[in-house]
Amino acid sequence: MDVMREGLLAALLLSSIAACGSTETEAPRGQLTIAMILPKSGAFSSAYQTLEGGARLAQKWINDAGGVLGMELVFDERDEAAGTNGVVPITDVANDLVSQGVQVWVGPQASDSALAAAPIAAANQRLLIAPSAGASQLSALADDDFVFRGIQVVSTAAVASARVAYAGGHTTASVLHLNNAVSTDQANTFANTFVAAGGTVLVNHGYDYDTANPSAFVAQAHLDAVFAGNPDVIFLYGTPTDAVAVLTAWDKMDWAGQWILGAVLASSDIAAAVGGPKIADALTYTAAAPAPADQVTINSAFQELNGFDLGDVNTTVVNSTLQSTILAALAIERAGVNDGTAIRDVLREVANAPGEPVMGAVDYRRAVDIVRSGGDLDFVGLSAPLELDARGDFVGNISERRFNANGGLDVVRVLVPGADF
């Protein structure tokens, strides 16, 4: 089982619906607080409303099933201001959460923010689950096992995209990336994997982007650098803001190659900003999504609660936020106490096999009842069995997705590690 078990999300969904008609669960008494750290401002702020909606849905499911340790689950919501210094730097946010005694943190979402907050969490024995932080650097932290991620290591998707591109007959590639630690890491992962497979990387080109002065960004100069040599493939990795600037400047010159957008750019928001027809057929690789029927169930509950449609606006990170919150609640129930060390020590007990598998679209009430009764739970994901490893990481299937002319994302196929890449 993994930290995010995509299964429990829809599972919870149906359970919460079923719970509405039940009188067996006592109303929660008192409150238990966890931190919910979201990008309300900064480079990923466009996703804030959707991510918060996912968190609120998980909160509803949990409280409908009796809360946590008999108490109502509430959020201490903080702004991570991803990609900027923010009004309050993420390190100050983390230190304040420590001073407030908050034992479990869901977030930050972005890798840079998570890397900055993680040492503070670990030093103070706080459990941190970073729902969308895919940077491989998190795996190498000396965090005393207090830091987990809620999504696959992004490099898994970069490795898959490079190997699949070469296997598909593409022999030359250029790489374009934002000059920050995470984007550079993913660019290098793609480039090194493509070369190891037998391909040639013509250029691995980085650019700087100042969010405070976007007009200073001359995208065409960077496009000229990567189009030199007419590569078969161009791999782009950055934040949505700068990636949109790059793709908007692209004039669809006479080029028959293939765009591959990094996992963080797998959103219909990108297509809406650039124009669906313009980036139609671009590929992106992300953690495998839930089965369509399960995602429809999640979307329906999301819309009913939040009043707007989730659609396909990067459902991967929304699902990861749901899962992270749910898994944290189950671990607190198993620990029997709101203490970061105790919760850390039992997290894998509720996530990993062996145990009674609770699969996608089953029932959160069933899962939490197993935990409350002292039984063994194996939190099974919607897309594939996933387990938390010793580093707090999990590896699962990868979805190859293609942008369509309407700005949506279609799943082309699901790739299995060790078999397809």
Side-chain angles (χ1 to χ4, degrees), residues 327-391:
L327 191 61
L330 289 169
I332 296 169
E333 286 282 359
R334 172 66 86 200
V337 61
N338 186 23
D339 174 78
T341 301
I343 298 163
R344 174 204 65 179
D345 291 345
V346 300
L347 185 62
R348 291 182 182 84
E349 288 184 25
V350 297
N352 294 4
E356 182 176 345
V358 176
M359 303 188 72
V362 181
D363 178 354
Y364 178 65
R365 184 181 298 280
R366 176 183 165 208
V368 77
D369 282 350
I370 292 169
V371 172
R372 288 170 178 164
S373 66
D376 292 330
L377 172 67
D378 180 11
F379 185 17
V380 179
L382 287 171
S383 57
L386 299 169
E387 302 291 313
L388 281 173
D389 67 15
R391 300 175 301 179

Side-chain angles (χ1 to χ4, degrees), residues 55 68 81-82 109 155 167 175 268 278 282 289 295 312 325 357 363 365 379:
V68 181
Q109 294 275 342
S155 56
V175 179
S268 57
K278 189 170 187 177
Q295 190 65 63
D312 65 357
T325 309
D363 178 354
R365 184 181 298 280
F379 185 17

Side-chain angles (χ1 to χ4, degrees), residues 35-313:
M36 183 59 60
I37 310 174
L38 299 168
K40 192 170 185 177
S41 62
F44 296 97
S45 59
S46 62
Y48 166 73
Q49 184 182 27
T50 307
L51 291 169
E52 186 191 40
R56 295 298 176 191
L57 183 55
Q59 181 184 40
K60 180 182 186 303
W61 291 338
I62 292 162
N63 286 332
D64 282 353
V68 181
L69 300 181
M71 293 177 278
E72 178 189 11
L73 179 68
V74 297
F75 294 153
D76 182 348
E77 186 178 319
R78 304 297 183 100
D79 182 9
E80 69 182 83
T84 72
N85 290 327
V87 176
V88 179
I90 188 61
T91 50
D92 288 355
V93 169
N95 284 318
D96 189 57
L97 288 170
V98 170
S99 71
Q100 295 297 318
V102 182
Q103 299 292 314
V104 175
W105 308 352
V106 177
Q109 294 275 342
S111 292
D112 285 348
S113 301
L115 286 165
I120 298 170
N124 292 280
Q125 296 81 50
R126 272 32 176 195
L127 180 72
L128 185 156
I129 304 175
S132 305
S136 57
Q137 293 96 321
L138 274 177
S139 304
L141 289 179
D143 57 31
D144 200 20
D145 207 28
F146 280 99
V147 178
F148 295 80
R149 70 175 84 239
I151 200 167
Q152 290 168 293
V153 182
V154 175
S155 56
T156 304
V159 167
S161 59
R163 289 178 178 167
V164 170
Y166 182 77
H170 301 303
T171 60
T172 61
S174 290
V175 179
L176 182 60
H177 65 89
L178 177 66
N179 280 328
N180 67 10
V182 174
S183 299
T184 301
D185 176 59
Q186 300 313 308
N188 291 340
T189 297
F190 178 93
N192 293 339
T193 304
F194 192 78
V195 170
T200 298
V201 173
L202 302 178
V203 61
N204 187 347
H205 179 82
Y207 58 84
D208 296 311
Y209 187 89
D210 183 358
T211 55
N213 187 20
S215 62
F217 183 64
V218 184
Q220 192 60 51
H222 304 294
L223 287 166
D224 290 343
V226 293
F227 275 99
N230 193 29
D232 296 333
V233 169
I234 295 177
F235 178 77
L236 173 63
Y237 203 101
T239 73
T241 302
D242 54 84
V244 164
V246 168
L247 293 167
T248 301
W250 176 47
D251 61 6
K252 296 205 74 166
M253 58 193 79
D254 186 16
W255 179 61
Q258 176 69 61
W259 277 104
I260 298 177
L261 307 187
V264 73
L265 306 176
S267 169
S268 57
D269 279 353
I270 300 291
V274 176
K278 189 170 187 177
I279 65 168
D281 296 326
L283 293 174
T284 186
Y285 295 78
T286 66
D294 293 325
Q295 190 65 63
V296 167
T297 304
I298 295 163
N299 293 4
S300 176
F302 181 99
Q303 183 174 30
E304 181 179 356
L305 177 66
N306 295 297
F308 64 95
D309 185 18
L310 172 59
D312 65 357
V313 181

